[in-house]
């Protein structure tokens, strides 16, 4: 990570970890299947899915010039090859910036070794959110960048090229690839899409546009007067959503935002003595600094309640506890939606884990840790809260890096903090989206 000036970082991490199941034999990977998975609230907990690698234009020298780094020259003058992926596999995200001056950056997508591109056009038209099947909010233009989450599977390969642009142009890109096991049947992306794919993408759009996962399962509600009691659940089951609503009137007004960092939430599963979750209430629910009524698919605040909607599978039991710090506890309403199962979901699904780390001005020059863990699991994502002490935006120039399974060099290197969260050129307006 590049040098960052005086800055305070705080992050909460979500990860699922458990044994891994097998992919159903003969299941063809299609646009429809991948779109259905993106709309499935339980998909994040599954471990029998391929991992993801990101290809980007990060500066290989370690400096801050994270643009203009390509795989190679194209056979067409003035064009560059961004990636040349080998199948079977699929691309799950494309992100690009550098054309904020309006220059027409054209892209070409060559599938399965074909001589002509199946998909081509100006990035502004392709991923601007108004051209099917790349419709908002699955594909959008925001804060001077274009991105798309429309899955593009390929059986043999996918080569993506773009124009280099005029002299002095800064082309930044990120492309997320999921490689599939050899022999996996794949229906390569092609337009027009089959009706099944159109329907699956439209359903996904409706879920992401509503920006709310449906409550499912048995509804439970209790009020914790004595926090030492906690709340217990019997399995096998999957907790789909948990809401926390303190009696705000019993909290001094000057302390109501402070409880977001002061009160801790912990979760234990299946009689384990170690806490799988131990995170401040506000960070777990996506509101770390102050109470803000906003939401994503997986966390937020609605009315007087904070919520987390990451799936939490368990085999026998789950226990949620609260712990107060400097601000005394008050009665807390806890609402939960729990989907009962006839057998343990653990195996194909993993336990939900969340941890919290903080660095301060004394840590200047060292990377901020998001996750350090051993074992089998799946990194789902993070909430990153940053407060610069010098009042600048320079912290956003830090690049995320991910090493997994003994990699000597990071297999994932980003091009800037805002890029990781689908922004570009810092943030020129508020962004709030489903992911």
């Amino acid at each position: 990570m590049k040098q960052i000036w005086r800055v305070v970082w705080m992050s909460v991490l979500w990860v699922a970890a458990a044994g891994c199941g097998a992919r159903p034999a003969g299941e063809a990977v299609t646009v429809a299947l991948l779109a259905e998975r993106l709309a499935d609230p339980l998909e994040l907990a599954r471990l029998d899915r391929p991992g993801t690698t990101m290809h980007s234009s990060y500066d290989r020298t370690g400096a801050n010039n994270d643009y203009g780094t390509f795989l190679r020259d194209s056979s067409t003058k003035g064009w560059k090859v961004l990636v040349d992926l080998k199948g079977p596999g699929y691309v799950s995200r494309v992100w690009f910036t550098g054309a904020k001056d309006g220059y027409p950056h054209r892209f070409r997508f060559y599938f399965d070794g074909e001589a002509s591109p199946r998909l081509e056009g100006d990035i502004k038209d392709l991923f601007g959110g108004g051209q099917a099947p790349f419709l908002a909010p699955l594909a959008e233009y925001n804060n001077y960048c274009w991105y798309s989450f429309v899955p593009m599977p390929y059986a043999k390969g996918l080569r993506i090229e773009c124009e280099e642009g005029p002299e002095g142009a800064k082309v930044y890109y990120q492309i997320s690839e999921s490689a599939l096991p050899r022999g996996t049947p794949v229906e390569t992306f092609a337009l027009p899409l089959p009706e099944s794919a159109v329907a699956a993408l439209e359903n996904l759009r409706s879920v992401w546009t509503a920006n709310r996962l449906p409550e499912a399962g048995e509804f439970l509600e209790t009020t914790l007067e004595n926090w030492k009691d906690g709340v217990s659940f019997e399995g096998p089951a999957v907790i789909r959503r948990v809401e926390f609503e303190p009696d705000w009137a019993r909290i001094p007004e000057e302390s109501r935002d402070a409880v977001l960092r002061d009160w801790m939430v912990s979760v234990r599963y299946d009689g384990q003595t170690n806490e799988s979750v131990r995170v401040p209430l506000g960070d777990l629910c996506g509101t770390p600094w102050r109470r803000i009524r906003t939401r994503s698919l997986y966390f937020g605040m609605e009315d007087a309640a904070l919520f987390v909607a990451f799936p939490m599978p368990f085999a026998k039991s789950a226990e949620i506890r609260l712990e107060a710090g400097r601000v005394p506890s008050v009665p807390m309403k806890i609402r939960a939606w729990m989907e009962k199962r006839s057998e343990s979901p653990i195996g194909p699904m993993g336990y939900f884990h969340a941890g919290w780390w903080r660095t301060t001005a004394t840590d200047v020059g060292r990377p901020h840790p998001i996750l350090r863990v051993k074992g089998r699991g799946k990194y789902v994502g993070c909430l990153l809260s940053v407060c610069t002490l010098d009042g600048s935006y320079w912290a956003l120039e830090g690049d995320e890096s991910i090493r997994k399974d003994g990699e000597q060099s990071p297999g994932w290197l980003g091009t800037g903090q805002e890029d990781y969260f689908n922004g570009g050129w810092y943030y020129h307006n508020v962004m709030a989206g489903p992911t």
Side-chain angles (χ1 to χ4, degrees):
M1 183 177 287
K2 302 176 182 65
Q3 182 183 11
I4 53 175
W5 304 108
R6 301 183 67 229
V7 61
V8 176
W9 303 77
M10 300 180 185
S11 64
V12 59
L13 176 281
W14 296 279
V15 61
C20 192
R23 179 181 58 82
E27 182 182 23
V29 175
T30 65
V31 173
L33 174 68
L34 296 172
E36 289 166 2
R37 290 179 178 178
L38 283 173
D40 183 354
L42 301 182
E43 183 67 22
L44 284 184
R46 297 195 65 95
L47 296 177
D48 51 351
R49 300 292 185 248
T52 303
T53 300
M54 187 176 75
H55 306 270
S56 74
S57 57
Y58 77 91
D59 190 336
R60 271 62 170 173
T61 69
N64 193 37
N65 297 320
D66 291 319
Y67 57 86
T69 305
F70 303 100
L71 179 64
R72 63 175 185 266
D73 290 336
S74 168
S75 58
T76 305
K77 184 178 180 181
W79 287 71
K80 298 289 185 178
V81 177
L82 281 61
V83 293
D84 193 354
L85 309 175
K86 306 305 178 186
Y90 60 90
V91 163
S92 56
R93 173 178 174 264
V94 177
W95 173 94
F96 167 82
T97 191
K100 72 174 187 175
D101 57 355
Y103 182 80
H105 273 276
R106 289 178 292 169
F107 273 63
R108 303 189 297 208
F109 295 75
Y110 296 84
F111 288 87
D112 294 347
E114 295 171 339
S116 300
R118 287 198 187 185
L119 179 66
E120 62 180 324
D122 193 302
I123 194 70
K124 303 183 208 45
D125 298 324
L126 286 178
F127 297 157
Q131 178 173 298
F134 305 99
L135 298 173
L138 306 183
E140 286 189 298
Y141 170 72
N142 214 329
N143 286 287
Y144 297 123
C145 69
W146 292 261
Y147 53 85
S148 169
F149 290 98
V150 175
M152 292 187 281
Y154 46 90
K156 298 179 181 179
L158 171 58
R159 187 175 80 252
I160 302 176
E161 300 184 354
C162 82
E163 287 182 297
E164 184 178 14
E167 185 177 353
K170 296 182 177 181
V171 174
Y172 300 75
Y173 68 88
Q174 297 181 359
I175 297 170
S176 298
E177 170 207 11
S178 291
L180 296 168
R182 181 179 297 180
T184 301
V186 173
E187 184 179 293
T188 298
F189 180 93
L191 296 178
L193 292 176
E195 290 185 7
S196 59
V198 173
L201 286 171
E202 193 57 33
N203 177 64
L204 174 59
R205 286 184 64 221
S206 68
V207 172
W208 281 26
T209 299
N211 205 13
R212 183 186 179 96
L213 297 175
E215 292 88 356
E218 180 183 357
F219 173 68
L220 306 168
E221 181 174 357
T222 186
T223 299
L224 278 184
E225 301 284 349
N226 183 355
W227 284 15
K228 293 182 180 179
D229 295 337
V231 180
S232 297
F233 305 88
E234 293 184 1
V238 180
I239 298 173
R240 296 282 294 269
R241 178 185 175 100
V242 181
E243 293 182 354
F244 304 88
E245 184 178 340
D247 187 344
W248 295 106
R250 301 268 295 268
I251 306 171
E253 186 174 353
E254 66 274 12
S255 299
R256 291 174 188 169
D257 286 338
V259 302
L260 300 175
R261 272 275 153 75
D262 186 67
W263 292 350
M264 301 294 290
V265 179
S266 64
V267 182
R268 289 189 176 97
Y269 307 106
D270 296 337
Q272 297 169 355
T273 57
N274 293 329
E275 296 165 320
S276 295
V277 174
R278 184 172 174 78
V279 174
L281 172 63
D283 290 85
L284 183 66
C285 298
T287 55
W289 299 115
R290 58 182 61 87
R291 293 168 295 155
I292 300 175
R293 287 183 178 87
T294 185
R295 67 174 186 251
S296 73
L297 288 175
Y298 302 102
F299 50 71
M301 182 177 184
E302 295 179 314
D303 298 324
L306 299 109
F307 76 90
V308 58
F310 285 97
M312 303 181 190
F314 58 95
K316 298 177 181 178
S317 64
E319 180 186 56
I320 298 177
R321 287 186 175 273
L322 294 163
E323 179 184 326
R326 292 169 296 175
V327 183
S329 63
V330 300
M332 175 80 77
K333 283 186 180 179
I334 296 183
R335 306 181 189 93
W337 286 260
M338 184 176 67
E339 183 181 302
K340 299 286 286 187
R341 295 295 182 98
S342 59
E343 57 185 30
S344 171
I346 299 302
M349 293 186 183
Y351 293 107
F352 171 78
H353 292 254
W356 182 72
W357 289 266
R358 171 171 53 194
T359 48
T360 68
T362 62
D363 299 296
V364 165
R366 293 193 292 268
H368 172 71
I370 298 293
L371 172 67
R372 290 176 181 144
V373 69
K374 293 183 179 180
R376 179 174 300 197
K378 172 184 178 180
Y379 168 67
V380 173
C382 69
L383 172 81
L384 184 66
S385 312
V386 184
C387 179
T388 58
L389 302 182
D390 62 359
S392 77
Y393 290 100
W394 193 249
L396 293 174
E397 294 294 342
D399 299 343
E400 83 280 2
S401 64
I402 301 175
R403 289 182 174 89
K404 68 179 188 301
D405 298 339
E407 290 177 336
Q408 295 300 308
S409 299
W412 176 300
L413 277 166
T415 56
Q417 299 279 306
E418 74 272 38
D419 308 346
Y420 180 80
F421 295 100
N422 290 319
W425 305 100
Y426 307 132
Y427 292 100
H428 296 261
N429 57 271
V430 171
M431 280 186 68
T435 62

